[in-house]
Amino acid sequence: MLDPKYASSFLLVVVLIYLLFVQLKQPPSWTDAEIETIQSLGISQLGEPPSDPTNAVANDSRAAKLGHKLFFDERMSITGTIACANCHQPENQFRDSLTRGVAIGQTDRRTPSIIGGAYSPWQYWDGRKDSQWSQALAPLEHPMEHGGNRMFYVRYVTARYKDEYEAIFGPAPDLSDRERFPEHAAPVGRTDWNSTWQAMSTEDQNLVNQLFVNIGKTIAAYERLLVPGPGRFDEYVASIRFDEQQTIFDHNEVVGLRLFIGKANCTQCHNGPLLTNNEFHNTGVANFPGEIPDKGRVQGIRDVTDDPFNCVSQYSDARYSCAELRFARTGSELIGTVRTPSLRSLHPPFMHKGQHATLREVLDHYNDAPLAMIGHNEAKPLNLTQLEITQLERFLATLNAPLRTDSNWLKAP
Amino acid sequence: MVMSALAESDAFQVTYSSAINPIAINKMHEWILDIKTSDGTPVTDAEVVINGGMPAHNHGLPTSPKVTQNLGQGKYRVEGVRFHMSGYWEMRVTVKANGIEDTVVISLEL
Ligand SMILES: [Cu+2]
């Protein structure tokens, strides 16, 4: 037994050790302002996706069911081998693991996750589309993606999915007259398809466009259902809200979170429950050597303004509701900017061309904040230690979580 | 965050009121501006240009808000207001009326 003479000094040593190694490792508790910021990032703040009045069938479950089928249907391509899901893979956060997306050929940028996309006013890295339905039309006609033409798709869908289509949109027009409706036709893509399109009457062109748009609207109705669910971070948010014993995060994760919302400035752009402001920023991510820098949003805003399927077009179901497009900013500040990605579906590689293979590389990049090739890098050097970078990395890992979407939607129908 | 507040330059007083209160980031919304001369007379035929940004971050607004309607009695509807970061913002409202041009700076802490 311990001599009572030494017991008090032994106790003192124990207390000292506790203070030095255990107590000190517990960071001071959060301030009210920090708690407010942390709560603003929690998934419970997310709510339902904002309504899309430009898509009359956005919340129609029959449209979502048809869109689900089309999203996974490889016959929705000129080769009969490419579905949206080939690149937007459910098992990989609805994206792929490549630096740049590959289907019929290689595309110019990295495939983004489409989870939570319904919350964004803009689609694509450069925001060249202003709705999910309008976006869905582009890959179908892109020569490196599905490689087809609208005439081909509207004929296929109204035949193969006739009942489903008609239940949503009413009787599908008769497209059997090959004089009026050739086998292949589109105003974009191959020149022979262009000429057959030009030979069609304006009325027939509009009719085909409308059917094509309807296809996009069903795919969008499906995509709206893909919403992230709560993860360990959100459990932590709930626990500090109710001031419970904080056992959900370990020390490094807590410090990582503190860096994320504080010294590392991450919430300047990665804010709100999806950890994105969906705005366009230049963070000085260099291209692969020998490649010309990506102009980003400066080009995207031109494209979406001129897009025949944008919010103010005749194919929009609510042309009056286009505040984002009508009041979109332009100008040199947008040079080399891309849309902030959500951090709720992290999967390597990272950045708009997959330039960074690991989260560590991403964080080293933010720590250095190099000069941008074009435009200027909005992020400033951070001077974080290697330990702090590890702690940030540990925090980012707590954002991973399964979708809140019913699992039937997450596989081929 | 107050929903409505007054800011002044030498020539004009501008009171803004936001359609959402408190102003949340990442939400498109409208403002109503109430513009008066420094002696309190409503300015009914102003030309209004809106700029702004975060001085500490050296960037502008994420949208380009505009006056879309003159509501009469010195009131103007501004559409296309959205902020994309927390922190200190300035909205610069340039008013041109009666041959005078002056800029009123509205400060916001979001
Ligand atoms: Cu800022």
Side-chain angles (χ1 to χ4, degrees):
Chain A
M1 277 306 293
L2 193 63
D3 188 325
K5 224 170 35 184
Y6 301 112
S8 62
S9 44
F10 177 75
L11 200 70
L12 190 70
V13 169
V14 170
V15 168
L16 268 176
I17 289 175
Y18 173 78
L19 282 177
L20 270 175
F21 294 97
V22 185
Q23 182 71 357
L24 279 186
K25 282 189 84 177
Q26 293 295 319
S29 58
W30 301 108
T31 65
D32 286 351
E34 283 171 328
I35 289 178
E36 200 181 310
T37 305
I38 293 169
Q39 273 165 9
S40 73
L41 305 176
I43 200 89
S44 62
Q45 300 297 311
L46 189 59
E48 293 305 312
S51 65
D52 178 4
T54 71
N55 179 0
V57 301
N59 298 328
D60 183 326
S61 61
R62 298 166 304 177
K65 276 190 194 133
L66 177 54
H68 184 202
K69 290 182 180 167
L70 299 179
F71 191 88
F72 284 87
D73 185 349
E74 293 186 340
R75 277 176 293 176
M76 288 291 285
S77 63
I78 201 71
T79 53
T81 57
I82 310 292
C84 309
N86 291 25
C87 296
H88 299 283
Q89 304 157 359
E91 64 281 13
N92 285 319
Q93 304 276 18
F94 280 89
R95 49 167 286 203
D96 54 31
S97 307
L98 305 169
T99 53
R100 296 199 214 157
V102 176
I104 291 178
Q106 191 182 44
T107 63
D108 291 337
R109 297 204 183 103
R110 194 208 86 199
T111 310
S113 169
I114 59 170
I115 300 168
Y119 295 85
S120 176
W122 308 108
Q123 301 294 322
Y124 284 130
W125 287 101
D126 57 4
R128 66 183 180 278
K129 287 287 189 174
D130 63 350
S131 69
Q132 286 183 307
W133 62 263
S134 171
Q135 187 285 327
L137 307 176
L140 295 173
E141 293 190 323
H142 194 296
M144 299 299 155
E145 298 182 58
H146 301 241
N149 57 79
R150 60 196 67 176
M151 190 66 242
F152 163 81
Y153 294 115
V154 304
R155 182 174 279 116
Y156 171 68
V157 172
T158 54
R160 169 79 179 77
Y161 298 103
K162 189 167 197 294
D163 294 345
E164 285 127 301
Y165 178 92
E166 293 190 337
I168 307 162
F169 298 106
D174 178 8
L175 302 173
S176 58
D177 181 350
R178 296 293 152 131
E179 292 291 306
R180 281 175 62 196
F181 302 107
E183 193 71 34
H184 296 286
V188 295
R190 287 169 43 171
T191 45
D192 51 334
W193 298 347
N194 262 255
S195 358
T196 45
W197 179 261
Q198 296 314 330
M200 288 170 66
S201 74
T202 310
E203 261 172 35
D204 287 348
Q205 289 176 346
N206 290 345
L207 180 74
V208 171
N209 281 343
Q210 187 59 59
L211 297 173
F212 190 42
V213 160
N214 290 347
I215 292 175
K217 287 180 179 171
T218 65
I219 295 176
Y222 166 63
E223 290 176 311
R224 283 172 72 75
L225 301 174
L226 307 174
V227 174
R232 220 151 57 73
F233 168 63
D234 305 289
E235 274 177 53
Y236 181 74
V237 174
S239 78
I240 55 173
R241 178 151 156 247
F242 295 109
D243 209 19
E244 289 161 4
Q245 190 72 38
Q246 288 158 27
T247 50
I248 295 153
F249 269 14
D250 69 19
H251 169 74
N252 286 323
E253 290 162 339
V254 172
V255 179
L257 171 57
R258 168 163 283 124
L259 289 166
F260 188 84
I261 65 168
K263 194 166 121 185
N265 302 327
C266 310
T267 45
Q268 277 178 19
C269 306
H270 298 283
N271 54 36
L274 293 176
L275 289 305
T276 174
N277 56 9
N278 282 312
E279 261 302 321
F280 301 91
H281 295 283
N282 186 328
T283 53
V285 181
N287 262 340
F288 290 111
E291 278 182 12
I292 46 165
D294 200 314
K295 283 193 262 178
R297 181 58 171 168
V298 261
Q299 186 59 45
I301 185 62
R302 291 185 198 177
D303 292 348
V304 67
T305 305
D306 295 340
D307 193 299
F309 301 117
N310 67 15
C311 184
V312 296
S313 73
Q314 67 183 101
Y315 302 103
S316 158
D317 296 323
R319 299 160 76 173
Y320 57 85
S321 71
C322 307
E324 290 288 351
L325 187 61
R326 282 172 62 211
F327 302 103
R329 94 181 129 146
T330 54
S332 58
E333 217 174 63
L334 297 172
I335 295 173
T337 62
V338 293
R339 209 172 101 238
T340 311
S342 168
L343 303 182
R344 284 202 175 264
S345 0
L346 288 173
H347 179 82
F350 302 100
M351 305 306 193
H352 66 279
K353 287 192 168 67
Q355 291 99 323
H356 295 151
T358 62
L359 276 180
R360 191 83 192 182
E361 273 182 42
V362 172
L363 295 170
D364 284 341
H365 169 79
Y366 280 115
N367 207 24
D368 297 345
L371 290 178
M373 290 267 282
I374 55 168
H376 85 276
N377 188 349
E378 294 169 49
K380 305 279 170 295
L382 297 173
N383 298 313
L384 302 176
T385 64
Q386 286 303 307
L387 173 62
E388 287 175 317
I389 291 179
T390 304
Q391 290 165 328
L392 260 178
E393 195 181 346
R394 292 283 312 282
F395 162 67
L396 290 177
T398 71
L399 296 168
N400 262 353
L403 274 72
R404 103 176 168 208
T405 311
D406 191 280
S407 63
N408 290 328
W409 298 107
L410 307 181
K411 51 181 198 267
Chain B
M1 188 62 236
V2 281
M3 194 194 84
S4 127
L6 172 77
E8 283 182 276
S9 68
D10 286 348
F12 302 110
Q13 309 174 351
V14 174
T15 306
Y16 77 93
S17 41
S18 157
I20 54 171
N21 177 35
I23 297 178
I25 60 168
N26 303 337
K27 271 214 173 78
M28 191 61 110
H29 63 283
E30 294 182 12
W31 280 14
I32 303 288
L33 298 179
D34 190 345
I35 305 179
K36 296 190 168 75
T37 59
S38 49
D39 63 10
T41 317
V43 180
T44 54
D45 56 353
E47 259 177 63
V48 183
V49 175
I50 295 163
N51 281 298
M54 293 180 89
H57 297 165
N58 193 27
H59 63 69
L61 299 171
T63 59
S64 39
K66 288 184 183 65
V67 167
T68 53
Q69 202 183 356
N70 183 340
L71 301 167
Q73 292 166 330
K75 291 192 165 57
Y76 300 83
R77 182 192 307 282
V78 178
E79 287 184 80
V81 183
R82 174 160 62 72
F83 303 95
H84 63 310
M85 287 185 196
S86 300
Y88 176 71
W89 288 86
E90 284 181 359
M91 287 286 253
R92 289 186 290 279
V93 181
T94 301
V95 179
K96 208 197 266 182
N98 317 323
I100 303 171
E101 181 177 316
D102 207 354
T103 299
V104 178
V105 178
I106 297 171
S107 305
L108 297 163
E109 188 63 49
L110 303 183

